[in-house]
Amino acid sequence: MDWIIHLDTDELLHPAGSHEYSLRKLLSDVPSNVDMVIFPNYESSIERDDIKDPFGEVSMFKKNYDHLPKETYFGLYKEATRGNPNYFLTYGNGKSAARIQDHLRPNGAHRWHNYMKSPNEIKLEEAAVLHYTYAKFSDLTSRRNRCGCKPTKEDVKRCFMLEFDRTAFIIASTATNEEMLQWFREHVVWSDKQLNLKLLRKGILTRIYAPMAIIRGLRDSGVFATAIASSRSQSNRKYPSPSTQNASTSSIAEQTLRKDISLSDIATRNNSSKATARKILDTGSNQDRAVPPSSPPGLGDILVDA
């Protein structure tokens, strides 16, 4: 295994920029001195309130700040947010792939870190993570079950880092089903065709059909059904009983104890392990906290950049 990637169950990788539309090919072309590759995220922009299979039904996405001209992003910011707290409903800092190497560790769900060095990272200019967030109405209605917070603006800060998630939790916890559906249509569904067309022409929104076609093809060919059947058969397999496993473990332990391992070898290994552990702890103690999900740049960031 050469690379490791953190991907959620509501996300797909879009390996644009590869001639074969292949993630393997995309990563094989990354220079050998690069440790981490960042995939900016695009967010699903659903056009109906009755989506059941986001991967197979959604083709419109809002592009990331990193893949847009600054003037376009900020010039159409208010139209793109449609009254929501931020440009994206949820996070905007993408996901990353890390080259497998010693001392690698996750730095939250969005980045990777290395105990022994600062990773050399690049940001892909075409490839992206497609985030199908709140693509189904049930994504909103089930939000109330995500934590035990009280549905108040202050209490939800304990469980949710992003403003839209906090608002969604309060709505799901206090509104009727009809009120929730109305709120979902106003804040999530892109039903204004004129606005959609304008933002598509300006590049804020984009159409991506390849993932939809691939998912449908895999489903129609029976690949998914076969995979599910295979996983079920694996789960039904009979494994050795605990008593058999214990007997086997005891036998291995006895054989190990009979081996002639010199005390000097053990001491050398222990000292080496302790030295490495100390170095890792010293390095790790100076690192920032794990990278959290964060919103894309807002209008207030214009002044900061200036």
Side-chain angles (χ1 to χ4, degrees), residues 20-80:
E20 303 169 8
Y21 199 69
S22 164
L23 180 62
R24 186 191 299 268
K25 175 63 175 170
L26 187 73
L27 293 176
S28 69
D29 291 339
V30 174
S32 59
N33 67 324
V34 173
D35 303 305
M36 188 167 72
V37 174
I38 297 174
F39 292 80
N41 62 297
Y42 290 9
E43 192 173 80
S44 62
S45 302
I46 60 170
E47 299 167 84
R48 310 192 324 265
D49 61 19
D50 59 349
I51 300 291
K52 302 299 181 186
D53 175 25
F55 291 169
E57 296 180 60
V58 178
S59 65
M60 192 166 75
F61 298 87
K62 189 186 291 186
K63 296 178 72 172
N64 193 287
Y65 170 78
D66 291 322
H67 285 181
L68 286 169
K70 186 176 180 179
E71 297 75 18
T72 300
Y73 179 87
F74 287 114
L76 294 165
Y77 186 87
K78 289 186 177 180
E79 289 175 273

Tab-separated table of all heavy atoms in Angstrom, residues 20-80:
chain	number	residue	atom	x	y	z
A	20	GLU	N	-6.900	8.797	-17.331
A	20	GLU	CA	-7.715	7.580	-17.230
A	20	GLU	C	-8.817	7.705	-16.178
A	20	GLU	O	-9.474	6.717	-15.859
A	20	GLU	CB	-6.800	6.394	-16.897
A	20	GLU	CG	-5.675	6.197	-17.911
A	20	GLU	CD	-4.640	5.203	-17.408
A	20	GLU	OE1	-4.879	4.570	-16.355
A	20	GLU	OE2	-3.591	5.060	-18.064
A	21	TYR	N	-9.007	8.904	-15.633
A	21	TYR	CA	-9.939	9.105	-14.510
A	21	TYR	C	-9.659	8.058	-13.433
A	21	TYR	O	-10.541	7.353	-12.949
A	21	TYR	CB	-11.394	9.017	-14.978
A	21	TYR	CG	-12.378	9.646	-13.998
A	21	TYR	CD1	-12.412	11.018	-13.794
A	21	TYR	CD2	-13.263	8.863	-13.269
A	21	TYR	CE1	-13.293	11.589	-12.898
A	21	TYR	CE2	-14.150	9.427	-12.363
A	21	TYR	CZ	-14.153	10.790	-12.179
A	21	TYR	OH	-15.038	11.365	-11.276
A	22	SER	N	-8.376	7.941	-13.088
A	22	SER	CA	-7.912	6.903	-12.170
A	22	SER	C	-7.193	7.525	-10.990
A	22	SER	O	-6.238	8.292	-11.159
A	22	SER	CB	-6.962	5.945	-12.903
A	22	SER	OG	-6.216	5.166	-11.997
A	23	LEU	N	-7.637	7.189	-9.782
A	23	LEU	CA	-6.970	7.671	-8.582
A	23	LEU	C	-5.559	7.093	-8.494
A	23	LEU	O	-4.613	7.783	-8.100
A	23	LEU	CB	-7.778	7.287	-7.343
A	23	LEU	CG	-7.208	7.733	-5.995
A	23	LEU	CD1	-7.129	9.250	-5.910
A	23	LEU	CD2	-8.041	7.174	-4.849
A	24	ARG	N	-5.422	5.826	-8.877
A	24	ARG	CA	-4.106	5.188	-8.851
A	24	ARG	C	-3.133	5.935	-9.760
A	24	ARG	O	-1.993	6.216	-9.384
A	24	ARG	CB	-4.244	3.734	-9.315
A	24	ARG	CG	-2.954	2.924	-9.194
A	24	ARG	CD	-3.122	1.593	-9.925
A	24	ARG	NE	-4.196	0.817	-9.330
A	24	ARG	CZ	-4.018	-0.075	-8.358
A	24	ARG	NH1	-2.813	-0.272	-7.862
A	24	ARG	NH2	-5.041	-0.765	-7.889
A	25	LYS	N	-3.585	6.284	-10.947
A	25	LYS	CA	-2.744	7.004	-11.896
A	25	LYS	C	-2.436	8.409	-11.386
A	25	LYS	O	-1.302	8.904	-11.491
A	25	LYS	CB	-3.442	7.064	-13.260
A	25	LYS	CG	-2.723	7.905	-14.315
A	25	LYS	CD	-1.356	7.350	-14.664
A	25	LYS	CE	-0.717	8.127	-15.796
A	25	LYS	NZ	0.706	7.750	-15.991
A	26	LEU	N	-3.443	9.054	-10.825
A	26	LEU	CA	-3.278	10.412	-10.304
A	26	LEU	C	-2.185	10.459	-9.239
A	26	LEU	O	-1.303	11.320	-9.265
A	26	LEU	CB	-4.604	10.909	-9.717
A	26	LEU	CG	-4.669	12.366	-9.262
A	26	LEU	CD1	-4.721	13.296	-10.461
A	26	LEU	CD2	-5.880	12.590	-8.369
A	27	LEU	N	-2.219	9.514	-8.306
A	27	LEU	CA	-1.249	9.508	-7.213
A	27	LEU	C	0.122	9.011	-7.662
A	27	LEU	O	1.141	9.418	-7.091
A	27	LEU	CB	-1.770	8.651	-6.056
A	27	LEU	CG	-3.009	9.209	-5.335
A	27	LEU	CD1	-3.503	8.232	-4.280
A	27	LEU	CD2	-2.717	10.566	-4.703
A	28	SER	N	0.155	8.157	-8.672
A	28	SER	CA	1.454	7.668	-9.153
A	28	SER	C	2.258	8.776	-9.827
A	28	SER	O	3.482	8.684	-9.941
A	28	SER	CB	1.254	6.501	-10.126
A	28	SER	OG	0.659	6.945	-11.335
A	29	ASP	N	1.559	9.824	-10.282
A	29	ASP	CA	2.237	10.941	-10.939
A	29	ASP	C	2.720	12.013	-9.956
A	29	ASP	O	3.359	12.991	-10.357
A	29	ASP	CB	1.300	11.601	-11.960
A	29	ASP	CG	1.028	10.691	-13.161
A	29	ASP	OD1	1.838	9.780	-13.402
A	29	ASP	OD2	-0.006	10.894	-13.834
A	30	VAL	N	2.399	11.843	-8.677
A	30	VAL	CA	2.828	12.818	-7.668
A	30	VAL	C	4.337	12.676	-7.441
A	30	VAL	O	4.836	11.562	-7.265
A	30	VAL	CB	2.070	12.584	-6.339
A	30	VAL	CG1	2.621	13.495	-5.235
A	30	VAL	CG2	0.581	12.828	-6.533
A	31	PRO	N	5.095	13.782	-7.457
A	31	PRO	CA	6.544	13.700	-7.230
A	31	PRO	C	6.892	12.953	-5.947
A	31	PRO	O	6.174	13.053	-4.947
A	31	PRO	CB	6.966	15.177	-7.158
A	31	PRO	CG	5.923	15.900	-7.942
A	31	PRO	CD	4.635	15.161	-7.708
A	32	SER	N	7.999	12.233	-5.963
A	32	SER	CA	8.373	11.361	-4.845
A	32	SER	C	8.677	12.125	-3.558
A	32	SER	O	8.633	11.555	-2.464
A	32	SER	CB	9.582	10.511	-5.231
A	32	SER	OG	10.686	11.345	-5.576
A	33	ASN	N	8.986	13.427	-3.663
A	33	ASN	CA	9.305	14.203	-2.461
A	33	ASN	C	8.053	14.774	-1.781
A	33	ASN	O	8.153	15.439	-0.752
A	33	ASN	CB	10.259	15.350	-2.802
A	33	ASN	CG	9.609	16.401	-3.697
A	33	ASN	OD1	8.814	16.067	-4.572
A	33	ASN	ND2	9.963	17.659	-3.483
A	34	VAL	N	6.874	14.506	-2.344
A	34	VAL	CA	5.618	14.993	-1.767
A	34	VAL	C	5.059	13.955	-0.806
A	34	VAL	O	4.931	12.781	-1.149
A	34	VAL	CB	4.584	15.300	-2.871
A	34	VAL	CG1	3.225	15.637	-2.250
A	34	VAL	CG2	5.072	16.452	-3.739
A	35	ASP	N	4.739	14.382	0.416
A	35	ASP	CA	4.241	13.475	1.444
A	35	ASP	C	2.718	13.445	1.527
A	35	ASP	O	2.131	12.453	1.940
A	35	ASP	CB	4.781	13.887	2.820
A	35	ASP	CG	6.289	13.923	2.865
A	35	ASP	OD1	6.910	12.901	2.536
A	35	ASP	OD2	6.848	14.982	3.215
A	36	MET	N	2.073	14.555	1.160
A	36	MET	CA	0.628	14.659	1.342
A	36	MET	C	0.002	15.421	0.187
A	36	MET	O	0.552	16.424	-0.275
A	36	MET	CB	0.318	15.359	2.669
A	36	MET	CG	-1.155	15.360	3.056
A	36	MET	SD	-1.404	15.851	4.794
A	36	MET	CE	-1.028	17.604	4.697
A	37	VAL	N	-1.147	14.911	-0.279
A	37	VAL	CA	-1.872	15.523	-1.384
A	37	VAL	C	-3.250	15.944	-0.889
A	37	VAL	O	-3.989	15.133	-0.333
A	37	VAL	CB	-2.025	14.533	-2.559
A	37	VAL	CG1	-2.911	15.120	-3.641
A	37	VAL	CG2	-0.668	14.164	-3.125
A	38	ILE	N	-3.589	17.219	-1.067
A	38	ILE	CA	-4.876	17.729	-0.599
A	38	ILE	C	-5.879	17.765	-1.745
A	38	ILE	O	-5.604	18.306	-2.816
A	38	ILE	CB	-4.712	19.143	-0.007
A	38	ILE	CG1	-3.801	19.083	1.225
A	38	ILE	CG2	-6.072	19.732	0.373
A	38	ILE	CD1	-3.456	20.433	1.798
A	39	PHE	N	-7.033	17.166	-1.495
A	39	PHE	CA	-8.154	17.203	-2.433
A	39	PHE	C	-9.147	18.257	-1.942
A	39	PHE	O	-9.844	18.028	-0.941
A	39	PHE	CB	-8.868	15.843	-2.488
A	39	PHE	CG	-8.078	14.730	-3.106
A	39	PHE	CD1	-7.102	14.058	-2.381
A	39	PHE	CD2	-8.317	14.326	-4.407
A	39	PHE	CE1	-6.373	13.016	-2.931
A	39	PHE	CE2	-7.598	13.284	-4.983
A	39	PHE	CZ	-6.624	12.631	-4.242
A	40	PRO	N	-9.238	19.431	-2.576
A	40	PRO	CA	-10.278	20.387	-2.191
A	40	PRO	C	-11.661	19.733	-2.350
A	40	PRO	O	-11.847	18.894	-3.226
A	40	PRO	CB	-10.093	21.538	-3.180
A	40	PRO	CG	-8.657	21.429	-3.608
A	40	PRO	CD	-8.382	19.953	-3.653
A	41	ASN	N	-12.596	20.103	-1.501
A	41	ASN	CA	-13.911	19.462	-1.585
A	41	ASN	C	-14.914	20.313	-2.374
A	41	ASN	O	-14.875	21.541	-2.325
A	41	ASN	CB	-14.477	19.180	-0.194
A	41	ASN	CG	-14.705	20.438	0.623
A	41	ASN	OD1	-13.764	21.151	0.935
A	41	ASN	ND2	-15.955	20.701	0.947
A	42	TYR	N	-15.760	19.636	-3.125
A	42	TYR	CA	-16.928	20.238	-3.769
A	42	TYR	C	-18.142	19.749	-2.992
A	42	TYR	O	-18.176	18.612	-2.533
A	42	TYR	CB	-17.060	19.794	-5.222
A	42	TYR	CG	-16.025	20.344	-6.181
A	42	TYR	CD1	-14.907	21.051	-5.747
A	42	TYR	CD2	-16.151	20.132	-7.558
A	42	TYR	CE1	-13.968	21.536	-6.635
A	42	TYR	CE2	-15.211	20.614	-8.455
A	42	TYR	CZ	-14.113	21.316	-7.987
A	42	TYR	OH	-13.179	21.788	-8.871
A	43	GLU	N	-19.154	20.599	-2.864
A	43	GLU	CA	-20.331	20.230	-2.083
A	43	GLU	C	-21.540	20.011	-2.987
A	43	GLU	O	-21.801	20.799	-3.893
A	43	GLU	CB	-20.643	21.333	-1.065
A	43	GLU	CG	-21.657	20.923	-0.019
A	43	GLU	CD	-21.805	21.984	1.058
A	43	GLU	OE1	-22.507	22.988	0.826
A	43	GLU	OE2	-21.208	21.823	2.147
A	44	SER	N	-22.263	18.921	-2.744
A	44	SER	CA	-23.434	18.608	-3.556
A	44	SER	C	-24.460	19.729	-3.475
A	44	SER	O	-24.668	20.334	-2.424
A	44	SER	CB	-24.071	17.291	-3.089
A	44	SER	OG	-24.513	17.402	-1.747
A	45	SER	N	-25.094	20.015	-4.612
A	45	SER	CA	-26.145	21.026	-4.689
A	45	SER	C	-27.368	20.340	-5.286
A	45	SER	O	-27.537	20.292	-6.506
A	45	SER	CB	-25.699	22.207	-5.562
A	45	SER	OG	-24.517	22.783	-5.044
A	46	ILE	N	-28.212	19.806	-4.413
A	46	ILE	CA	-29.348	19.010	-4.894
A	46	ILE	C	-30.429	19.911	-5.471
A	46	ILE	O	-30.617	21.047	-5.028
A	46	ILE	CB	-29.927	18.122	-3.779
A	46	ILE	CG1	-30.421	18.978	-2.600
A	46	ILE	CG2	-28.889	17.113	-3.298
A	46	ILE	CD1	-31.213	18.185	-1.577
A	47	GLU	N	-31.130	19.380	-6.460
A	47	GLU	CA	-32.162	20.153	-7.147
A	47	GLU	C	-33.570	19.656	-6.850
A	47	GLU	O	-34.549	20.189	-7.377
A	47	GLU	CB	-31.887	20.111	-8.653
A	47	GLU	CG	-30.536	20.732	-9.005
A	47	GLU	CD	-30.091	20.421	-10.423
A	47	GLU	OE1	-30.527	21.141	-11.348
A	47	GLU	OE2	-29.298	19.463	-10.598
A	48	ARG	N	-33.678	18.613	-6.020
A	48	ARG	CA	-34.978	18.073	-5.607
A	48	ARG	C	-34.928	17.739	-4.121
A	48	ARG	O	-33.846	17.559	-3.561
A	48	ARG	CB	-35.320	16.795	-6.385
A	48	ARG	CG	-35.178	16.883	-7.878
A	48	ARG	CD	-35.821	15.648	-8.558
A	48	ARG	NE	-35.657	14.420	-7.801
A	48	ARG	CZ	-34.673	13.534	-8.009
A	48	ARG	NH1	-33.728	13.776	-8.920
A	48	ARG	NH2	-34.610	12.422	-7.308
A	49	ASP	N	-36.099	17.631	-3.499
A	49	ASP	CA	-36.138	17.302	-2.070
A	49	ASP	C	-36.408	15.829	-1.821
A	49	ASP	O	-36.612	15.416	-0.675
A	49	ASP	CB	-37.182	18.159	-1.339
A	49	ASP	CG	-38.597	17.936	-1.881
A	49	ASP	OD1	-38.849	16.907	-2.543
A	49	ASP	OD2	-39.464	18.805	-1.641
A	50	ASP	N	-36.443	15.020	-2.905
A	50	ASP	CA	-36.772	13.603	-2.734
A	50	ASP	C	-35.632	12.684	-3.183
A	50	ASP	O	-35.860	11.566	-3.641
A	50	ASP	CB	-38.047	13.256	-3.507
A	50	ASP	CG	-37.924	13.532	-5.004
A	50	ASP	OD1	-36.937	14.171	-5.418
A	50	ASP	OD2	-38.816	13.092	-5.761
A	51	ILE	N	-34.394	13.149	-3.053
A	51	ILE	CA	-33.243	12.324	-3.417
A	51	ILE	C	-33.175	11.104	-2.494
A	51	ILE	O	-33.250	11.234	-1.272
A	51	ILE	CB	-31.929	13.132	-3.306
A	51	ILE	CG1	-31.950	14.346	-4.238
A	51	ILE	CG2	-30.720	12.242	-3.583
A	51	ILE	CD1	-31.902	14.000	-5.702
A	52	LYS	N	-33.020	9.941	-3.071
A	52	LYS	CA	-32.888	8.706	-2.287
A	52	LYS	C	-31.480	8.122	-2.381
A	52	LYS	O	-30.988	7.512	-1.432
A	52	LYS	CB	-33.898	7.663	-2.783
A	52	LYS	CG	-35.356	8.103	-2.718
A	52	LYS	CD	-35.775	8.405	-1.291
A	52	LYS	CE	-37.248	8.820	-1.232
A	52	LYS	NZ	-37.644	9.262	0.139
A	53	ASP	N	-30.846	8.281	-3.543
A	53	ASP	CA	-29.517	7.720	-3.783
A	53	ASP	C	-28.606	8.834	-4.292
A	53	ASP	O	-28.467	9.027	-5.494
A	53	ASP	CB	-29.611	6.589	-4.806
A	53	ASP	CG	-28.243	6.050	-5.195
A	53	ASP	OD1	-27.301	6.186	-4.389
A	53	ASP	OD2	-28.116	5.486	-6.302
A	54	PRO	N	-28.006	9.614	-3.386
A	54	PRO	CA	-27.201	10.776	-3.804
A	54	PRO	C	-26.131	10.451	-4.839
A	54	PRO	O	-25.970	11.189	-5.821
A	54	PRO	CB	-26.583	11.251	-2.484
A	54	PRO	CG	-27.545	10.812	-1.442
A	54	PRO	CD	-28.071	9.493	-1.916
A	55	PHE	N	-25.374	9.364	-4.651
A	55	PHE	CA	-24.304	9.030	-5.590
A	55	PHE	C	-24.829	8.788	-7.000
A	55	PHE	O	-24.131	9.027	-7.981
A	55	PHE	CB	-23.549	7.777	-5.128
A	55	PHE	CG	-22.728	7.978	-3.873
A	55	PHE	CD1	-22.185	6.889	-3.209
A	55	PHE	CD2	-22.482	9.246	-3.362
A	55	PHE	CE1	-21.416	7.052	-2.061
A	55	PHE	CE2	-21.724	9.426	-2.215
A	55	PHE	CZ	-21.196	8.318	-1.558
A	56	GLY	N	-26.056	8.310	-7.103
A	56	GLY	CA	-26.603	8.002	-8.412
A	56	GLY	C	-27.547	9.038	-8.979
A	56	GLY	O	-27.974	8.932	-10.126
A	57	GLU	N	-27.885	10.067	-8.175
A	57	GLU	CA	-28.886	11.036	-8.620
A	57	GLU	C	-28.383	12.480	-8.685
A	57	GLU	O	-29.017	13.320	-9.335
A	57	GLU	CB	-30.106	10.991	-7.684
A	57	GLU	CG	-30.858	9.674	-7.681
A	57	GLU	CD	-32.046	9.708	-6.736
A	57	GLU	OE1	-32.937	10.562	-6.938
A	57	GLU	OE2	-32.075	8.902	-5.788
A	58	VAL	N	-27.286	12.778	-8.026
A	58	VAL	CA	-26.820	14.170	-7.941
A	58	VAL	C	-25.679	14.408	-8.925
A	58	VAL	O	-24.705	13.658	-8.955
A	58	VAL	CB	-26.340	14.510	-6.509
A	58	VAL	CG1	-25.810	15.938	-6.447
A	58	VAL	CG2	-27.486	14.322	-5.518
A	59	SER	N	-25.815	15.475	-9.727
A	59	SER	CA	-24.767	15.807	-10.705
A	59	SER	C	-24.253	17.242	-10.568
A	59	SER	O	-23.282	17.608	-11.210
A	59	SER	CB	-25.293	15.610	-12.134
A	59	SER	OG	-26.340	16.528	-12.410
A	60	MET	N	-24.900	18.057	-9.730
A	60	MET	CA	-24.498	19.461	-9.602
A	60	MET	C	-23.763	19.673	-8.278
A	60	MET	O	-24.221	19.217	-7.220
A	60	MET	CB	-25.714	20.386	-9.684
A	60	MET	CG	-25.338	21.863	-9.850
A	60	MET	SD	-26.734	22.907	-10.343
A	60	MET	CE	-27.654	23.016	-8.803
A	61	PHE	N	-22.628	20.380	-8.355
A	61	PHE	CA	-21.790	20.609	-7.176
A	61	PHE	C	-21.324	22.058	-7.129
A	61	PHE	O	-21.135	22.696	-8.163
A	61	PHE	CB	-20.568	19.691	-7.194
A	61	PHE	CG	-20.909	18.223	-7.145
A	61	PHE	CD1	-21.176	17.522	-8.316
A	61	PHE	CD2	-21.000	17.552	-5.934
A	61	PHE	CE1	-21.511	16.183	-8.277
A	61	PHE	CE2	-21.328	16.212	-5.885
A	61	PHE	CZ	-21.582	15.523	-7.059
A	62	LYS	N	-21.115	22.547	-5.918
A	62	LYS	CA	-20.539	23.871	-5.721
A	62	LYS	C	-19.027	23.710	-5.575
A	62	LYS	O	-18.550	22.920	-4.768
A	62	LYS	CB	-21.128	24.530	-4.475
A	62	LYS	CG	-20.745	25.997	-4.321
A	62	LYS	CD	-21.237	26.569	-2.999
A	62	LYS	CE	-22.747	26.701	-2.962
A	62	LYS	NZ	-23.189	27.406	-1.713
A	63	LYS	N	-18.279	24.471	-6.363
A	63	LYS	CA	-16.832	24.320	-6.384
A	63	LYS	C	-16.156	24.965	-5.173
A	63	LYS	O	-16.687	25.896	-4.574
A	63	LYS	CB	-16.257	24.910	-7.677
A	63	LYS	CG	-16.717	24.187	-8.930
A	63	LYS	CD	-16.175	24.815	-10.195
A	63	LYS	CE	-14.708	24.564	-10.377
A	63	LYS	NZ	-14.234	25.013	-11.710
A	64	ASN	N	-14.986	24.462	-4.856
A	64	ASN	CA	-14.217	24.965	-3.730
A	64	ASN	C	-13.520	26.283	-4.068
A	64	ASN	O	-13.175	26.539	-5.227
A	64	ASN	CB	-13.170	23.918	-3.324
A	64	ASN	CG	-12.541	24.200	-1.979
A	64	ASN	OD1	-11.734	25.106	-1.831
A	64	ASN	ND2	-12.904	23.402	-0.986
A	65	TYR	N	-13.302	27.080	-3.055
A	65	TYR	CA	-12.572	28.351	-3.194
A	65	TYR	C	-11.235	28.150	-3.902
A	65	TYR	O	-10.818	28.982	-4.710
A	65	TYR	CB	-12.364	28.953	-1.798
A	65	TYR	CG	-11.426	30.130	-1.750
A	65	TYR	CD1	-11.855	31.400	-2.145
A	65	TYR	CD2	-10.110	29.989	-1.302
A	65	TYR	CE1	-10.999	32.488	-2.085
A	65	TYR	CE2	-9.245	31.068	-1.252
A	65	TYR	CZ	-9.693	32.317	-1.645
A	65	TYR	OH	-8.846	33.396	-1.603
A	66	ASP	N	-10.567	27.034	-3.603
A	66	ASP	CA	-9.244	26.774	-4.178
A	66	ASP	C	-9.283	26.562	-5.688
A	66	ASP	O	-8.244	26.642	-6.343
A	66	ASP	CB	-8.613	25.547	-3.519
A	66	ASP	CG	-8.243	25.811	-2.070
A	66	ASP	OD1	-7.782	26.925	-1.781
A	66	ASP	OD2	-8.417	24.903	-1.233
A	67	HIS	N	-10.449	26.262	-6.232
A	67	HIS	CA	-10.568	26.009	-7.668
A	67	HIS	C	-11.313	27.126	-8.398
A	67	HIS	O	-11.815	26.930	-9.499
A	67	HIS	CB	-11.275	24.667	-7.909
A	67	HIS	CG	-10.410	23.481	-7.630
A	67	HIS	ND1	-10.851	22.175	-7.801
A	67	HIS	CD2	-9.121	23.392	-7.201
A	67	HIS	CE1	-9.866	21.348	-7.485
A	67	HIS	NE2	-8.812	22.056	-7.114
A	68	LEU	N	-11.402	28.291	-7.749
A	68	LEU	CA	-12.117	29.420	-8.348
A	68	LEU	C	-11.253	30.685	-8.319
A	68	LEU	O	-10.446	30.864	-7.402
A	68	LEU	CB	-13.410	29.704	-7.565
A	68	LEU	CG	-14.570	28.741	-7.744
A	68	LEU	CD1	-15.643	29.019	-6.695
A	68	LEU	CD2	-15.160	28.855	-9.145
A	69	PRO	N	-11.443	31.571	-9.300
A	69	PRO	CA	-10.789	32.878	-9.203
A	69	PRO	C	-11.332	33.617	-7.977
A	69	PRO	O	-12.521	33.547	-7.675
A	69	PRO	CB	-11.203	33.585	-10.503
A	69	PRO	CG	-11.605	32.484	-11.426
A	69	PRO	CD	-12.183	31.407	-10.571
A	70	LYS	N	-10.472	34.311	-7.290
A	70	LYS	CA	-10.858	35.021	-6.074
A	70	LYS	C	-11.994	36.002	-6.337
A	70	LYS	O	-12.934	36.126	-5.539
A	70	LYS	CB	-9.630	35.753	-5.525
A	70	LYS	CG	-9.828	36.431	-4.185
A	70	LYS	CD	-8.513	37.039	-3.710
A	70	LYS	CE	-8.679	37.718	-2.365
A	70	LYS	NZ	-7.393	38.296	-1.881
A	71	GLU	N	-11.923	36.691	-7.478
A	71	GLU	CA	-12.948	37.687	-7.802
A	71	GLU	C	-14.321	37.035	-8.001
A	71	GLU	O	-15.345	37.583	-7.594
A	71	GLU	CB	-12.557	38.450	-9.071
A	71	GLU	CG	-11.282	39.254	-8.956
A	71	GLU	CD	-10.024	38.389	-8.981
A	71	GLU	OE1	-10.123	37.219	-9.423
A	71	GLU	OE2	-8.956	38.865	-8.563
A	72	THR	N	-14.332	35.856	-8.620
A	72	THR	CA	-15.593	35.148	-8.847
A	72	THR	C	-16.183	34.678	-7.525
A	72	THR	O	-17.388	34.837	-7.265
A	72	THR	CB	-15.363	33.931	-9.769
A	72	THR	OG1	-14.837	34.388	-11.015
A	72	THR	CG2	-16.656	33.172	-10.008
A	73	TYR	N	-15.337	34.113	-6.692
A	73	TYR	CA	-15.798	33.571	-5.403
A	73	TYR	C	-16.432	34.663	-4.539
A	73	TYR	O	-17.577	34.539	-4.087
A	73	TYR	CB	-14.613	32.934	-4.683
A	73	TYR	CG	-14.937	32.363	-3.319
A	73	TYR	CD1	-15.416	31.063	-3.181
A	73	TYR	CD2	-14.732	33.116	-2.158
A	73	TYR	CE1	-15.691	30.530	-1.936
A	73	TYR	CE2	-15.010	32.597	-0.906
A	73	TYR	CZ	-15.489	31.297	-0.798
A	73	TYR	OH	-15.767	30.784	0.445
A	74	PHE	N	-15.708	35.741	-4.311
A	74	PHE	CA	-16.224	36.795	-3.437
A	74	PHE	C	-17.280	37.654	-4.130
A	74	PHE	O	-18.183	38.181	-3.482
A	74	PHE	CB	-15.074	37.667	-2.933
A	74	PHE	CG	-14.213	36.987	-1.910
A	74	PHE	CD1	-12.888	36.682	-2.181
A	74	PHE	CD2	-14.728	36.632	-0.679
A	74	PHE	CE1	-12.087	36.050	-1.237
A	74	PHE	CE2	-13.944	35.998	0.284
A	74	PHE	CZ	-12.620	35.702	-0.002
A	75	GLY	N	-17.187	37.774	-5.462
A	75	GLY	CA	-18.167	38.577	-6.187
A	75	GLY	C	-19.562	37.978	-6.177
A	75	GLY	O	-20.562	38.701	-6.229
A	76	LEU	N	-19.650	36.646	-6.083
A	76	LEU	CA	-20.949	35.966	-6.078
A	76	LEU	C	-21.221	35.261	-4.749
A	76	LEU	O	-22.067	34.374	-4.669
A	76	LEU	CB	-20.995	34.952	-7.223
A	76	LEU	CG	-20.959	35.565	-8.630
A	76	LEU	CD1	-20.628	34.505	-9.675
A	76	LEU	CD2	-22.299	36.232	-8.946
A	77	TYR	N	-20.500	35.683	-3.736
A	77	TYR	CA	-20.568	34.993	-2.444
A	77	TYR	C	-21.996	34.970	-1.877
A	77	TYR	O	-22.502	33.926	-1.459
A	77	TYR	CB	-19.618	35.654	-1.449
A	77	TYR	CG	-19.500	34.928	-0.123
A	77	TYR	CD1	-18.588	33.898	0.039
A	77	TYR	CD2	-20.309	35.278	0.969
A	77	TYR	CE1	-18.472	33.226	1.248
A	77	TYR	CE2	-20.206	34.608	2.176
A	77	TYR	CZ	-19.288	33.584	2.305
A	77	TYR	OH	-19.196	32.906	3.513
A	78	LYS	N	-22.655	36.127	-1.856
A	78	LYS	CA	-23.987	36.197	-1.254
A	78	LYS	C	-25.007	35.371	-2.022
A	78	LYS	O	-25.865	34.704	-1.426
A	78	LYS	CB	-24.438	37.659	-1.169
A	78	LYS	CG	-23.673	38.470	-0.128
A	78	LYS	CD	-24.240	39.862	0.029
A	78	LYS	CE	-23.516	40.626	1.130
A	78	LYS	NZ	-24.052	42.005	1.310
A	79	GLU	N	-24.918	35.387	-3.348
A	79	GLU	CA	-25.840	34.585	-4.146
A	79	GLU	C	-25.575	33.092	-3.951
A	79	GLU	O	-26.491	32.283	-3.979
A	79	GLU	CB	-25.718	34.963	-5.621
A	79	GLU	CG	-26.277	36.343	-5.938
A	79	GLU	CD	-26.044	36.742	-7.378
A	79	GLU	OE1	-24.966	37.298	-7.662
A	79	GLU	OE2	-26.935	36.488	-8.219
A	80	ALA	N	-24.306	32.754	-3.758
A	80	ALA	CA	-23.941	31.344	-3.596
A	80	ALA	C	-24.333	30.796	-2.228
A	80	ALA	O	-24.611	29.607	-2.086
A	80	ALA	CB	-22.444	31.156	-3.805
